[in-house]
Amino acid sequence: MNLTKLLPQFKRLSLCPSIRHISTDQCLLFRATPCLMAEPLKKKRKLDPAVIRAREERKKKRLEKQIRRLEKNARQMKPIGECEVPLTLLDEKLDRQRNILISAEVLEKRALLEKKWANFKRLQLLSDLQMIDRIIYTQQKALDELKNESEELYQEAIQMDFHMIPFKTMGPVETRSIENYDALDGEYQDVSKKW
Amino acid sequence: MVSCIFGTYWLRETNVDSNVLPEHVKNNIRKAQLQKKDVDDIDITTKQTTQDLIDAWKDEFAKFIPSSRITEADKSKDVTSMKRKLDKPLVFVLDQKIGDQSFYLLPQGKREEGETLRQCAERVVKEKCGNDIKVQIFGNAPCGFYKYKYPKPLRNEDSVGAKIFVYFARYSSGQISNSKAKYQWLDKLELEKTWPESYKKSLLPILFD
């Protein structure tokens, strides 16, 4: 049979002559030979266990070093000048001690004063607590009365006041400010260290 | 008073005892020791500086006069000024007519239909003291309550008396711009003298000491 004659005829029959589709669906019973997919195995190189251990160790060390370096940089913070005791002070600590001998009389006086102070603070605390109790009581009384008067107004009154959050307050101050006080001024040079 | 005396005494006594010598005192001692060793080497000017510094500080401190706690208003007994009795909480009271008498009472007004008590309090402050003043009302809940009966001729079948709910507010800024208002800033002791008996009984407990 002459194939060259047959081929153009079949070509005309097919819808899409230039691209051929192939399927290996199970139902087509199309089988690829497994042995053709095979590939010769790579020869496994046998490594000395000591070498492996050394390599792992090196890897671990490198990681550790990196971590240490990162930690060192991360932990470093701006020093706070006021919180650090100058080294000269630490060196001369013994030298700088005031060796004051306090007489028994003075100690006695101080102890008495401390007792007086403790008593004063106790009474102060008590009176404060009483005051707070009193104020809470009067407010509760007012709210109860309001509830009797009008439930609606009561509901309004017990709402949270968001103007008070966050709460900010100032004073009373120990000494009042001097009016029109001209603060001493001069030329300043900022010597604080830049970080 | 006790706290003041204790504070100063205790600080002077114990705090100084436990502190280490500061730099300038230490310098003084150092120089005195050096001076003992060799008198000639010491420069007279440097020897003086530390002591000079201390003297200068003392001078500066002596020159500084803190403002007094007794203000002009205290001296002139001006009860309309807020800058009196700085160490005491002052309460704003307004001359108001109740029936045919007038008293110095907390600013009060009638609640109108449709407003909450808080809104009413804000409105009353504006009405009585002018628009300039700014006050901070603390919370939506009233802090005090007072009930009274109208004088006999004013009573009728609908109303025999009034209930007053008091809100606590603090002055924040501004002036009292209502020129008609007769007002006073009084502390608790003075309020005890000016307020009527029943008003005092129910409203004095709401004040902080």
Side-chain angles (χ1 to χ4, degrees):
Chain A
M1 225 202 235
N2 200 346
L3 263 174
T4 47
K5 271 184 185 170
L6 259 177
L7 215 64
Q9 282 172 357
F10 276 103
K11 225 176 190 176
R12 236 177 288 137
L13 271 176
S14 77
L15 285 166
C16 178
S18 55
I19 303 164
R20 287 176 146 248
H21 294 281
I22 189 166
S23 168
T24 56
D25 258 349
Q26 284 277 307
C27 55
L28 292 177
L29 297 173
F30 189 99
R31 290 203 183 129
T33 335
C35 65
L36 281 179
M37 290 157 153
E39 197 180 3
L41 287 167
K42 255 185 196 163
K43 202 182 175 191
K44 205 172 183 185
R45 220 168 64 205
K46 237 190 181 173
L47 273 173
D48 192 16
V51 174
I52 296 171
R53 217 182 299 128
R55 202 179 281 168
E56 260 167 17
E57 211 121 281
R58 219 177 303 139
K59 210 190 257 171
K60 215 165 111 189
K61 238 179 209 172
R62 201 168 58 228
L63 270 172
E64 263 173 13
K65 204 177 167 188
Q66 265 175 357
I67 287 167
R68 223 182 304 132
R69 199 167 57 220
L70 279 173
E71 263 180 1
K72 207 169 141 196
N73 287 336
R75 293 252 169 249
Q76 217 159 38
M77 288 184 191
K78 271 192 207 172
I80 304 167
E82 298 90 67
C83 295
E84 274 165 25
V85 182
L87 283 174
T88 50
L89 283 186
L90 288 178
D91 292 343
E92 297 171 359
K93 199 185 168 213
L94 283 177
D95 216 18
R96 276 170 188 265
Q97 224 101 56
R98 298 164 200 263
N99 297 312
I100 298 170
L101 281 174
I102 303 158
S103 66
E105 214 173 285
V106 174
L107 280 177
E108 181 69 16
K109 199 175 153 197
R110 280 184 194 175
L112 275 175
L113 202 58
E114 215 164 329
K115 278 175 193 166
K116 223 170 161 183
W117 174 248
N119 203 22
F120 167 74
K121 284 309 264 186
R122 187 180 65 86
L123 290 177
Q124 198 183 32
L125 178 74
L126 266 178
S127 76
D128 278 356
L129 289 177
Q130 274 166 5
M131 182 185 70
I132 292 164
D133 268 358
R134 191 188 69 212
I135 285 163
I136 289 172
Y137 173 75
T138 50
Q139 180 164 53
Q140 196 50 53
K141 206 175 142 199
L143 280 172
D144 290 348
E145 283 292 337
L146 184 60
K147 200 174 183 182
N148 288 340
E149 196 60 36
S150 147
E151 179 72 28
E152 204 178 304
L153 287 177
Y154 173 76
Q155 286 303 329
E156 286 286 349
I158 56 169
Q159 294 309 313
M160 186 98 92
D161 181 7
F162 288 101
H163 296 289
M164 305 300 297
I165 305 168
F167 183 66
K168 220 197 271 175
T169 185
M170 211 202 90
V173 288
E174 186 76 19
T175 51
R176 78 182 168 118
S177 58
I178 303 172
E179 270 171 51
N180 306 322
Y181 180 70
D182 227 6
L184 294 176
D185 214 354
E187 278 180 21
Y188 289 100
Q189 200 177 9
D190 192 4
V191 289
S192 45
K193 207 169 170 184
K194 292 272 183 309
W195 298 95
Chain B
M1 214 49 223
V2 179
S3 69
C4 210
I5 297 164
F6 183 87
T8 41
Y9 177 77
W10 190 254
L11 270 182
R12 200 175 51 233
E13 290 278 316
T14 53
N15 218 354
V16 170
D17 286 359
S18 57
N19 277 357
V20 295
L21 296 176
E23 195 59 38
H24 62 275
V25 179
K26 181 69 190 162
N27 269 348
N28 254 4
I29 294 168
R30 220 178 272 147
K31 261 163 205 158
Q33 282 167 352
L34 271 177
Q35 217 172 4
K36 261 184 213 163
K37 277 183 202 161
D38 37 12
V39 185
D40 305 331
D41 287 358
I42 302 282
D43 193 356
I44 294 165
T45 50
T46 56
K47 190 172 68 186
Q48 289 296 317
T49 45
T50 317
Q51 194 54 48
D52 283 350
L53 262 179
I54 298 172
D55 290 346
W57 292 338
K58 278 182 180 162
D59 272 358
E60 199 185 338
F61 181 66
K63 259 187 223 159
F64 179 78
I65 305 157
S67 66
S68 163
R69 282 194 190 182
I70 295 155
T71 58
E72 290 296 318
D74 280 326
K75 280 177 200 156
S76 61
K77 298 214 166 67
D78 176 15
V79 283
T80 60
S81 168
M82 208 188 317
K83 286 177 179 156
R84 61 191 290 268
K85 298 206 175 179
L86 293 178
D87 56 344
K88 292 206 169 61
L90 296 178
V91 178
F92 177 83
V93 286
L94 198 66
D95 192 28
Q96 282 167 118
K97 233 177 165 155
I98 307 290
D100 47 0
Q101 278 179 297
S102 66
F103 303 98
Y104 276 100
L105 299 177
L106 300 170
Q108 61 183 51
K110 200 163 180 250
R111 188 184 79 90
E112 275 161 17
E113 210 48 57
E115 63 181 358
T116 65
L117 284 182
R118 164 90 186 241
Q119 284 162 349
C120 175
E122 274 161 7
R123 181 177 55 82
V124 166
V125 170
K126 284 250 161 71
E127 270 174 19
K128 301 276 176 184
C129 311
N131 284 323
D132 190 28
I133 197 163
K134 290 228 158 45
V135 296
Q136 162 93 66
I137 293 179
F138 279 54
N140 286 322
C143 68
F145 168 73
Y146 172 60
K147 182 163 72 172
Y148 73 96
K149 280 183 175 164
Y150 294 138
K152 286 230 165 92
L154 284 171
R155 278 184 217 171
N156 55 36
E157 274 172 23
D158 296 338
S159 55
V160 273
K163 284 183 175 180
I164 300 171
F165 293 94
V166 183
Y167 273 81
F168 180 75
R170 269 172 94 173
Y171 166 84
S172 50
S173 67
Q175 293 292 323
I176 291 145
S177 53
N178 189 353
S179 54
K180 274 186 238 159
K182 263 172 77 190
Y183 58 89
Q184 288 183 337
W185 287 95
L186 301 178
D187 75 352
K188 205 170 179 176
L189 283 176
E190 288 161 332
L191 287 176
E192 264 176 52
K193 284 173 200 156
T194 49
W195 277 355
E197 202 56 47
S198 59
Y199 196 76
K200 196 159 73 182
K201 204 179 151 201
S202 43
L203 291 187
L204 271 183
I206 66 173
L207 299 178
F208 289 89
D209 296 325

